[in-house]
Amino acid sequence: MKEFRTQVAIVGAGPAGLLLGHILHLQGIESVILEHRSREYVEKRVRAGVIEFGIANLLEDVGAGGRMRREGLVHRGIEIRYDHSAHRIALSELADGRTYTVYGQQEVVKDLIALRLEQGAALYFEAEVSSIEDVTTNAPIVRASMDGEDVRVRADFVAGCDGSYGASHRTIPGEVLRRYERVYPFSWLGILAQAAPATEELIYGRHENGFVLYSMRSASISRLYLGVRPEDTLEQWSDDRIWDELTERLSTDERPEVNRGPILERGITAMRSVVIEPMRYGRLFLAGDAAHIVPPTGAKGMNLALADVRVLAEAFDAYYSKNDEVLLDAYSAKCLERVWRAEEFSNYMTQMLHPSEDDAFENGVQRARLRQATQNREAATVLSRNYVDLNSL
Ligand code: FAD
Ligand code: DHB
């Protein structure tokens, strides 16, 4: 059995765990990060792509935003398409000049891993955490297995940053934990394609056939999504069927174009909303997807995770530099207020843009919401502020 002793044991090397480890390092607080998967796997996992204004500033302020600033695409608006017409929402104009940045989640992860390794700080891949014990004492223990060997990490605190399928939230006893969930009756089929984007700004569309989203990663890589049935499989979606459907759902009377190219990556993701309360139990603190899931329509998942970490790192700093536990005690309630705001926004965007197959009343409401969001300045302002900078509001 291998044993480590550290100040903060971090479970999971997604955006949340890696950013927390990095900020703690800057604050002189020691941590050990344990990640179930290999480095190659986490660096290649294609997921989110939209970084809010305040979260981009956070990454820059902590020295993790250099490549994002150089290579990320700065955007000032989005387009919304419905009823075969296109409507631009001038996000920056309506949100005090703030912009958002398109930069892949796996690029953020690569940048943070490189920094961690440069610092010589502890980061173990292929280390699966099986249990977290004694969290109601001052000496919690994280148990993991690494290369077939049992590992025990003793820490002052544990940060559960291990996503929705991780071990952390299962440590909270049933009589303490409250779980709120909504499952949506559709999934997203996402592709990454070697094709120049045919649009400068992101396009969200509601078509009779379902949801569509046109995004990108660079001048030569497109990222596109289709709303599909939850039971759909990738085998049912040939390349031609995907491109034909994207083209049909994105077409307007004036602008039908989608650039096609080889599909580099594809996946189907179920859509759900989950909130776990509280986000703290004893000396275990949950951050990111370990505590909450949003449907991706508002592009909030990674931003929320990184915003939790900002609050948690500040609380650890107050504890270690001033022996002050006030911020640790406030952590869960402070985050949950913002988390529920993001849940509301993600739910609003999701329900507005995914037509129902059998509920004509719901479809009427959705189209009324779309008209309001695109034609009423007050409604567009609320949407804009939430889209570009919800986590700083
Ligand atoms: P994660 O990134 O999930 O990181 C958790 C880490 O913990 C993982 O590396 C995992 O391997 C590790 N782990 C899990 N269990 C253990 C264990 N027992 N021991 C050790 N390590 C463990 N958001 C958007 O905004 N837009 C999108 O388009 C979008 N697409 C998505 C597509 C998919 C398929 C998924 C699953 C999510 C998507 N999201 C999207 C959400 C966004 O990617 C997440 O909100 C974000 O990854 C949260 O970061 P995190 O660090 O909290 O969790
Ligand atoms: C992307 C993902 C989203 O969920 C979204 O709302 C916008 C863009 C993307 O992967 O680029």
Side-chain angles (χ1 to χ4, degrees), residues 10-19 33-38 41-42 45-50 105 109 124-131 142-144 160-168 170 188 213 217 223 225 267-270 287-306 308-309:
I10 300 175
V11 187
L18 288 166
L19 183 67
I33 305 181
L34 299 168
E35 165 59 46
H36 174 33
R37 303 289 192 163
S38 67
Y41 183 93
V42 300
R45 198 161 41 189
V46 179
R47 287 186 172 177
V50 170
Q105 174 168 330
V109 164
Y124 297 98
F125 291 100
E126 298 177 67
E128 185 181 7
V129 170
S130 50
S131 67
V142 177
R143 290 185 190 277
C161 303
D162 48 353
S164 57
Y165 299 105
S168 301
R170 281 187 260 119
W188 276 16
L213 169 58
R217 290 291 178 270
R223 175 86 170 135
Y225 299 91
I268 292 184
T269 311
D289 277 18
H292 39 73
I293 301 288
V294 287
T297 326
K300 291 296 161 216
M302 178 170 59
N303 291 294
L304 263 187
L306 298 179
D308 289 350
V309 164

Side-chain angles (χ1 to χ4, degrees), residues 349-361:
M349 290 289 282
T350 300
Q351 299 211 319
M352 180 164 73
L353 287 159
H354 292 74
S356 169
E357 284 188 23
D358 51 19
D359 187 342
F361 181 84

Side-chain angles (χ1 to χ4, degrees), residues 54-298:
I55 299 298
N57 286 343
L58 167 67
L59 290 171
E60 182 169 28
D61 290 347
V62 300
R67 197 161 67 91
M68 173 198 69
R69 290 291 191 218
R70 286 194 302 279
E71 297 177 17
L73 309 167
V74 175
H75 285 208
R76 295 185 168 72
I78 54 172
E79 197 174 297
I80 296 192
R81 294 190 179 178
Y82 61 95
D83 292 348
H84 303 277
S85 61
H87 307 259
R88 178 169 192 265
I89 302 192
L91 301 175
S92 295
E93 247 171 65
L94 296 169
D96 308 322
R98 284 172 281 185
T99 55
Y100 66 94
T101 302
V102 177
Y103 188 66
Q105 174 168 330
Q106 78 272 34
E107 305 305 324
V108 174
V109 164
K110 276 187 217 159
D111 295 344
L112 288 168
I113 289 175
L115 278 172
R116 182 89 182 164
L117 298 178
E118 238 171 75
Q119 290 154 356
L123 165 57
Y124 297 98
F125 291 100
E126 298 177 67
E128 185 181 7
V129 170
S130 50
S131 67
I132 303 166
E133 294 162 13
D134 300 341
V135 294
T136 54
T137 73
N138 287 346
I141 293 173
V142 177
R143 290 185 190 277
S145 80
M146 218 158 82
D147 298 329
E149 191 180 3
D150 288 339
V151 175
R152 190 156 68 174
V153 183
R154 295 173 177 279
D156 300 335
F157 297 97
V158 180
C161 303
D162 48 353
S164 57
Y165 299 105
S168 301
H169 63 83
R170 281 187 260 119
T171 307
I172 305 180
E175 63 274 18
V176 175
L177 180 138
R178 292 180 303 278
R179 190 168 193 279
Y180 304 86
E181 179 164 20
R182 173 167 294 179
V183 177
Y184 299 90
F186 32 76
S187 295
W188 276 16
L189 191 168
I191 62 163
L192 194 70
Q194 183 79 50
T199 172
E200 255 172 52
E201 295 188 327
L202 266 59
I203 303 170
Y204 287 86
R206 179 190 182 281
H207 183 273
E208 312 75 278
N209 294 2
F211 172 81
V212 65
L213 169 58
Y214 206 147
S215 180
M216 68 288 293
R217 290 291 178 270
S218 69
S220 56
I221 302 282
S222 297
R223 175 86 170 135
L224 297 120
Y225 299 91
L226 285 171
V228 299
R229 294 207 171 104
E231 64 275 16
D232 280 10
T233 60
L234 288 174
E235 292 68 47
Q236 293 169 301
W237 284 90
S238 66
D239 289 17
D240 283 347
R241 182 175 176 209
I242 291 173
W243 287 118
D244 290 348
E245 196 62 29
L246 286 166
T247 306
E248 184 176 350
R249 292 190 196 179
L250 281 161
S251 72
T252 63
D253 296 336
E254 303 92 52
R255 308 167 63 179
E257 73 284 3
V258 170
N259 290 338
R260 300 185 182 207
I263 297 180
L264 307 172
E265 207 271 347
R266 69 189 79 207
I268 292 184
T269 311
M271 303 265 281
R272 58 196 180 119
S273 304
V274 177
V275 179
I276 284 172
E277 294 186 354
M279 286 172 62
R280 177 219 186 145
Y281 178 64
R283 290 206 159 205
L284 168 69
F285 292 81
L286 303 181
D289 277 18
H292 39 73
I293 301 288
V294 287
T297 326

Side-chain angles (χ1 to χ4, degrees), residues 331-344:
Y331 172 74
S332 177
K334 183 168 183 191
C335 287
L336 282 167
E337 201 179 313
R338 179 174 41 76
V339 165
W340 278 110
R341 275 184 61 106
E343 293 289 351
E344 187 281 328

